[in-house]
Amino acid sequence: MKYSFDIVGVSPVLHFFSHQQQNLQTPQYQGVELVATHKCTLDALLESVEPLPQKWGWDTDEVVSTVIEFWMNNSESIGYWKSRLIDAGSDNLLVARVADIKALRAELEMLLGNKW
């Protein structure tokens, strides 16, 4: 199975919490998760994705490798989001998306309203 990892933004803690609570109430795409952390470090991101493999039956080593590969290949993006998180202040979180590629594709097809 292949996975995707991307940093998607910075969010106030309460907004992210509210979004996650809404997701519990409504059906969501299985295999696409938003995670958050107060720090923009590799260790913090790895810790935030730690429960996902067990939840979805994912391969832990592949998920970890995907996050590390993102970290190694996207230094400019990481620097940008690290600055945005610092600028936003301590009541904010760095938000990232982790997904099974097939589930992510299904979500994008649904959002775009067509099949690829």
Side-chain angles (χ1 to χ4, degrees):
M1 199 178 296
K2 297 283 185 181
Y3 304 97
S4 169
F5 178 86
D6 291 298
I7 296 174
V8 296
V10 172
S11 172
V13 172
L14 291 177
H15 182 74
F16 182 77
F17 178 76
S18 174
H19 180 269
Q20 293 297 80
Q21 291 301 312
Q22 273 184 318
N23 285 349
L24 292 173
Q25 309 279 326
T26 58
Q28 294 296 310
Y29 302 99
Q30 291 192 358
V32 179
E33 288 279 343
L34 292 178
V35 295
T37 179
H38 283 285
K39 297 184 239 171
C40 185
T41 65
L42 178 58
D43 288 342
L45 290 169
L46 289 172
E47 187 176 313
S48 72
V49 302
E50 193 173 273
L52 298 180
Q54 185 175 10
K55 177 180 180 181
W56 295 111
W58 290 348
D59 182 313
T60 302
D61 291 338
E62 279 193 47
V63 172
V64 167
S65 292
T66 300
V67 175
I68 292 170
E69 183 178 328
F70 175 87
W71 190 265
M72 299 297 288
N73 295 324
N74 294 282
S75 61
E76 286 184 31
S77 175
I78 292 163
Y80 172 81
W81 288 115
K82 188 176 223 172
S83 295
R84 297 296 67 80
L85 182 60
I86 291 168
D87 292 345
S90 63
D91 291 335
N92 291 277
L93 299 167
L94 181 70
V95 180
R97 181 188 62 223
V98 184
D100 168 330
I101 293 290
K102 289 179 184 176
L104 183 58
R105 181 177 177 174
E107 179 181 5
L108 293 174
E109 286 174 353
M110 161 80 168
L111 289 172
L112 296 173
N114 62 17
K115 298 281 182 188
W116 290 343

